[in-house]
Amino acid sequence: MDFRNDILAGVTLLIFLGCAPAASLNQSKRDKSVWNYDGGVIFVTDGSLPNGVCFRVNGEVNAGEFFNHLKRVDNEHGTVFLRGTETVSEFPQALDVSFAIRDQLCTPGLREIAPRTYLTREMMSHLQLSIYWKHGVDLRPVKDVREVEARVERIAPYAKGLAAELPDRFEWSYLLTVPSAGVPLTDSMVFVFRTNEEHIAARVAARL
């Protein structure tokens, strides 16, 4: 899937490294744990480009009311997903994946010696995204991923009086529809981002 021809110039997918499931551990015992997925799966992570630009990604995986009251129960017998007393084994027909990207300091809280480089529209336009389903060690390419929305918004500087002297900063937001019919809940959604030079800029798995 190549987003370089997106109708919104420069609004192209980038990177998020590492994924933290948004499920909360509400019960932890020696022989059982229960994770709740109300509201979907949230991921927040940091990433970087080869040119030294760093950024943060905030996003979620959702699907209407599918994740409401959905629980993962891990015990000595294995893993089972439940909604009330109903056992759920597969994802719905499609999943909504939304996320926003903005740059940030590479070393938060520390003063950088070199001049800071900001994330630009051109940088965002040179990356391509591939999505896979991962089962064990096997990767299956996901076809027919649809981009529902892509937008870019200027970030207002904190020091408004210096706005004219500061470089423009932006936030990129995306909403994708990912086909998921028949996919087991135990499979992971893997995102691989590559540069024009086929360098893997990031790889991350969203899992329940």
Side-chain angles (χ1 to χ4, degrees):
M1 180 168 51
D2 190 337
F3 289 89
R4 287 174 294 176
N5 295 323
D6 193 286
I7 58 174
L8 298 178
V11 182
T12 306
L13 299 183
L14 195 60
I15 304 169
F16 50 98
L17 303 173
C19 178
S24 60
L25 183 63
N26 72 348
Q27 182 178 356
S28 180
K29 295 183 178 180
R30 186 169 54 186
D31 60 348
K32 185 173 76 170
S33 62
V34 180
W35 294 80
N36 294 319
Y37 292 94
D38 284 337
V41 178
I42 305 298
F43 54 88
V44 179
T45 191
D46 299 332
S48 63
L49 293 176
N51 64 2
V53 173
C54 297
F55 53 87
R56 169 154 291 186
V57 178
N58 293 275
E60 73 172 39
V61 177
N62 218 324
E65 299 182 354
F66 177 80
F67 290 101
N68 292 348
H69 310 297
L70 181 67
K71 297 180 179 181
R72 188 188 79 195
V73 179
D74 298 321
N75 55 36
E76 67 275 15
H77 302 297
T79 298
V80 63
F81 293 90
L82 300 174
R83 185 182 294 109
T85 59
E86 173 193 5
T87 299
V88 183
S89 59
E90 297 180 347
F91 285 103
Q93 291 290 317
L95 295 170
D96 298 322
V97 177
S98 60
F99 57 94
I101 302 172
R102 61 165 64 187
D103 59 38
Q104 67 173 7
L105 291 173
C106 294
T107 52
L110 298 178
R111 182 177 180 180
E112 295 192 351
I113 299 176
R116 180 177 173 184
T117 303
Y118 294 89
L119 193 59
T120 67
R121 293 173 184 261
E122 181 180 5
M123 294 175 193
M124 291 288 287
S125 69
H126 291 314
L127 287 165
Q128 303 168 47
L129 168 65
S130 297
I131 302 178
Y132 304 87
W133 285 111
K134 183 175 184 292
H135 183 80
V137 297
D138 296 327
L139 291 176
R140 308 186 308 276
V142 179
K143 300 179 181 179
D144 301 322
V145 174
R146 184 168 63 93
E147 184 177 272
V148 178
E149 183 180 8
R151 67 179 187 275
V152 57
E153 297 177 330
R154 182 173 280 103
I155 301 172
Y158 291 112
K160 295 183 179 180
L162 300 176
E165 304 174 19
L166 297 174
D168 290 334
R169 295 182 60 212
F170 302 93
E171 179 178 83
W172 286 263
S173 301
Y174 303 93
L175 174 60
L176 309 178
T177 297
V178 179
S180 54
V183 177
L185 292 180
T186 50
D187 283 10
S188 303
M189 187 186 301
V190 177
F191 304 84
V192 179
F193 299 84
R194 297 180 176 88
T195 65
N196 287 345
E197 294 75 29
E198 291 300 313
H199 170 75
I200 295 181
R203 169 176 167 149
V204 62
R207 61 177 63 87
L208 298 185

